[in-house]
Amino acid sequence: MKKKVLNIGLIGLGRSGRDIHGRVLEQLTDHYRIAAVSDSIAERRQRAESEYGCRAYATWEEMVGSEKLDLIVNASPSHQHFPITLALLESGHHVLCEKPLARSTEEVDRLIEASNRTGSQLAVFQQARYQPAFEQIRKVIDSGVLGRIVQIDFRLNGFARRWDWQTLQSNNGGSLMNTGPHPIDQALQLFGTEEMPSITCIMDLTNTFGDAEDYVKLIMRGPGKATIDIEISSCCAFPGQRFHIQGTNGGLQGDGERLEWKYFEPEKAPEQKLIREPLFTNDGMPAYCSEKLPWHSGHWDSSIPEGKTEFDHMTERLYLKLYDTLTEGAEPEITPWQIRRQMQVMEECRRQNRHIYASLD
């Protein structure tokens, strides 16, 4: 049976709306059709009409009032995500909102309440949940070969100066809100449980021309849990590997293109026992603990088809999952309640950095 093609209304045609959502939606013609767009810039509207063959409006209110849409994608500037999404949910529309969904847990709660009351689907664009490397990391961890996981590092580092609207607190800018939702979402998936982790966060302004942070060091901890260390830096000239995992039987490192891990099997390792006396070599010289462990290794290389980027792949996966939810009632894998916990983490980070977020006082 032929699939129903859902009519999309796309709010915002900037880096996210056009270069991420529009780019992928153009390829998913069996599932979606960009029926209408809205943007305040006339040139963007004209280009969209030519590229998508859709109708274009200067405001999202005009678009929603004139079109029958199955899903509205909210790719407006970050500080507009909450009020626009709330208005759309209140009017009974299904919404996919770009990150960050909101600024506070209170705002997320209002969106969840509106979604539940009206029966409108609230989805959040956390496509990094479907990053192939992250999915492989979960498989390696779940296999148990690394033993008990002690520490997990996420590094999203580079060296760059930035001076656009996303460097301003008033626009919900800064590295925590711009970049943070992706590694925080991944970290909370690995942290597990619904409990709030203990948070330690240090933020700084380094190479930004705005008033929002561009350096974030965020540590999550919890009883019986691995320590998770997230670092987002704009002043790191030597970024290193994006992922680094330490376990009692081995470890893993890598990035989005390649991962490698090594481990030993305790039952096949040399038998050892605690010795309280000083150690000596066979000729009576002082010695240090030394053994040869039987290491095993594994690796993973990205297999994304030529011509498609990792970003395209993740975005496509999210849209196909959302399609199943909207047309078949499939349970969403990324829920507003998960995003709420993410927002709790980010609120605590800002609370601990009042030297930057003085308005909290």
Side-chain angles (χ1 to χ4, degrees):
M1 187 173 68
K2 187 176 180 180
K3 290 180 179 291
K4 177 185 178 182
V5 176
L6 301 182
N7 286 323
I8 294 279
L10 180 54
I11 299 175
L13 296 168
R15 295 192 309 269
S16 175
R18 179 181 182 274
D19 297 344
I20 299 175
H21 296 274
R23 172 185 170 92
V24 169
L25 286 168
E26 281 189 290
Q27 310 302 315
L28 297 177
T29 54
D30 289 341
H31 302 80
Y32 296 101
R33 180 177 77 91
I34 301 177
V37 300
S38 68
D39 196 286
S40 61
I41 301 175
E43 291 78 9
R44 290 181 176 181
R45 298 197 300 272
Q46 293 166 4
R47 185 171 56 202
E49 289 174 330
S50 173
E51 291 179 339
Y52 307 141
C54 67
R55 291 170 293 279
Y57 300 86
T59 69
W60 66 268
E61 291 95 341
E62 289 180 84
M63 181 184 74
V64 171
S66 304
E67 300 282 343
K68 184 173 177 57
L69 302 168
D70 299 302
L71 174 68
I72 299 175
V73 177
N74 184 0
S76 62
S78 299
H79 62 291
Q80 296 179 16
H81 289 175
F82 167 70
I84 293 176
T85 297
L86 181 62
L88 291 171
L89 292 172
E90 292 282 6
S91 61
H93 290 89
H94 299 312
V95 184
L96 170 62
C97 184
E98 257 288 357
K99 55 76 188 170
L101 175 61
R103 186 175 177 82
S104 66
T105 53
E106 179 184 0
E107 290 183 348
V108 175
D109 287 342
R110 290 180 63 186
L111 294 174
I112 292 174
E113 188 279 330
S115 173
N116 291 339
R117 175 165 39 82
T118 62
S120 302
Q121 185 69 41
L122 171 60
V124 187
F125 193 59
Q126 295 276 182
Q127 78 279 22
R129 185 79 65 88
Y130 301 112
Q131 182 185 21
F134 177 66
E135 292 181 321
Q136 180 62 34
I137 286 172
R138 297 184 76 168
K139 290 178 183 177
V140 175
I141 290 176
D142 291 345
S143 74
V145 297
L146 301 183
R148 179 173 61 83
I149 304 303
V150 178
Q151 181 166 319
I152 302 171
D153 295 346
F154 293 87
R155 297 285 179 267
L156 288 87
N157 293 342
F159 197 100
R161 303 194 302 171
R162 190 167 184 176
W163 53 90
D164 64 343
W165 64 271
Q166 286 187 312
T167 65
L168 296 171
Q169 293 184 32
S170 59
N171 291 333
N172 284 358
S175 293
L176 182 68
M177 300 286 272
N178 287 339
T179 305
H182 295 310
I184 294 174
D185 179 72
Q186 292 178 339
L188 288 172
Q189 289 300 299
L190 297 181
F191 186 83
T193 78
E194 296 301 315
E195 297 176 11
M196 177 70 174
S198 171
I199 298 297
T200 300
C201 183
I202 300 169
M203 297 197 289
D204 200 352
L205 291 82
T206 61
N207 285 329
T208 177
F209 286 77
D211 63 353
E213 79 292 331
D214 63 344
Y215 171 88
V216 179
K217 167 68 78 171
L218 196 172
I219 298 174
M220 298 183 185
R221 292 170 295 175
K225 302 290 184 180
T227 296
I228 300 180
D229 184 332
I230 299 173
E231 187 174 282
I232 307 169
S233 175
S234 292
C235 60
C236 181
F238 301 96
Q241 299 282 16
R242 178 165 183 169
F243 304 107
H244 196 281
I245 298 176
Q246 303 176 47
T248 54
N249 294 346
L252 176 150
Q253 67 172 358
D255 54 27
E257 296 296 320
R258 181 177 174 83
L259 302 171
E260 59 179 349
W261 57 94
K262 69 176 188 177
Y263 60 94
F264 78 96
E265 298 172 306
E267 65 274 13
K268 296 181 181 179
E271 185 177 353
Q272 301 292 355
K273 62 180 181 179
L274 177 65
I275 299 176
R276 298 181 182 277
E277 295 78 21
L279 299 179
F280 297 93
T281 63
N282 290 335
D283 58 0
M285 299 299 292
Y288 187 79
C289 289
S290 178
E291 64 178 347
K292 188 173 183 180
L293 291 172
W295 289 106
H296 301 271
S297 63
H299 72 274
W300 169 90
D301 293 288
S302 177
S303 58
I304 295 174
E306 187 176 353
K308 182 180 293 187
T309 68
E310 178 189 63
F311 224 90
D312 292 340
H313 171 84
M314 296 187 295
T315 301
E316 182 178 294
R317 285 279 304 280
L318 184 144
Y319 267 109
L320 292 177
K321 294 283 188 181
L322 180 56
Y323 180 88
D324 290 341
T325 297
L326 295 175
T327 61
E328 301 174 10
E331 286 294 322
E333 294 180 341
I334 302 169
T335 70
W337 284 106
Q338 294 169 348
I339 306 307
R340 185 186 191 278
R341 189 158 67 126
Q342 177 192 118
M343 196 60 59
Q344 285 181 290
V345 170
M346 291 195 287
E347 278 188 315
E348 178 60 20
C349 290
R350 291 197 300 270
R351 189 193 68 78
Q352 292 182 19
N353 288 271
R354 281 194 167 91
H355 63 290
I356 295 176
Y357 287 90
S359 61
L360 294 177
D361 293 323

